[in-house]
Amino acid sequence: MSRKKKKGSKLKILLIVQIVIILGLGGTIGYFLLNNGSGLIGAGTGRKDVQEVTTEELETEDLLPQEQIAELSLEEAAAETAKGFLTLYHNCDPKAGEYLRGGEGLTFPEIQAEIAKSMTFEIGQTRLVEDEDGFTYALVEVTIETVSFEAAYEDAKKEFSEDADSEEILAKVTEKLKEYAASERDSFVIDIMVLDYVNSREILMDSNLSDAITGGLLTYMEERLEGGEDDE
């Protein structure tokens, strides 16, 4: 049932909790949930094919540290940066923040951790892009698959009590995410932006990456807010 949102609705509580607590990433993901990505525009200047790598094939010890990545060309380094971030993020390892611009203090609260642990990914092609000011960055095509936040939340809300508080909501959603980790999944094909710095190569978080690594949470939130929907 669709109706106007009312003050104190359970959905509103969940959105606030998700933005402020769950999606913190040191403010990185939360910022892009509230702002529409980086807005960089450019034209492709080159493309490099990269062998597809999945989380099942890639071990943490195979990851290149930033010192070694910085020695590679941007074209070569971009895929390594994406692999480093996504693998460590999947493992709920705070070191993932070393591959992410502004990722210091990366933590994994319950819901974020459950979605991260369900994630698999494949690395595709890399291409170089030049923006209007002549700045060159890399875009790495990545396919990310995760448990569906929407499926978990929609099922969990059927079990919310009338006076459910944020703690109960988070517990129910976490339970459903665990239950649906293998059966209710969403797939996202996105470009990860990698920027070139003197001593490192770092990913710039945008709304597409935020959405993918949180199981479609951003899309779910936007659809509900734009459509004026509320919990039944």
Side-chain angles (χ1 to χ4, degrees), residues 33-85:
L33 282 172
L34 298 174
N35 298 274
N36 295 322
S38 63
L40 289 176
I41 301 173
T45 60
R47 181 183 294 272
K48 181 178 178 65
D49 292 337
V50 178
Q51 181 180 3
E52 290 187 346
V53 179
T54 67
T55 45
E56 286 80 9
E57 299 168 342
L58 187 65
E59 300 295 334
T60 303
E61 55 265 28
D62 296 328
L63 301 177
L64 295 182
Q66 281 288 8
E67 306 85 72
Q68 289 182 254
I69 290 177
E71 296 175 357
L72 303 174
S73 68
L74 177 59
E75 200 170 18
E76 295 174 315
E80 295 296 335
T81 304
K83 285 188 290 186
F85 171 70

Side-chain angles (χ1 to χ4, degrees), residues 14 17-18 22 111 166-175:
L14 180 63
V17 172
Q18 291 295 332
I22 303 302
I111 286 182
S166 59
E167 184 176 345
E168 179 183 341
I169 292 170
L170 291 172
K172 289 289 185 183
V173 174
T174 301
E175 178 184 323

Side-chain angles (χ1 to χ4, degrees), residues 54-124:
T54 67
T55 45
E56 286 80 9
E57 299 168 342
L58 187 65
E59 300 295 334
T60 303
E61 55 265 28
D62 296 328
L63 301 177
L64 295 182
Q66 281 288 8
E67 306 85 72
Q68 289 182 254
I69 290 177
E71 296 175 357
L72 303 174
S73 68
L74 177 59
E75 200 170 18
E76 295 174 315
E80 295 296 335
T81 304
K83 285 188 290 186
F85 171 70
L86 292 173
T87 300
L88 293 170
Y89 187 89
H90 165 71
N91 293 339
C92 299
D93 189 331
K95 290 182 180 179
E98 297 175 8
Y99 299 84
L100 179 67
R101 189 66 177 167
E104 299 84 0
L106 175 60
T107 59
F108 294 85
E110 284 184 295
I111 286 182
Q112 188 172 325
E114 287 305 320
I115 297 173
K117 288 185 290 186
S118 77
M119 185 177 75
T120 60
F121 67 90
E122 293 182 353
I123 302 290

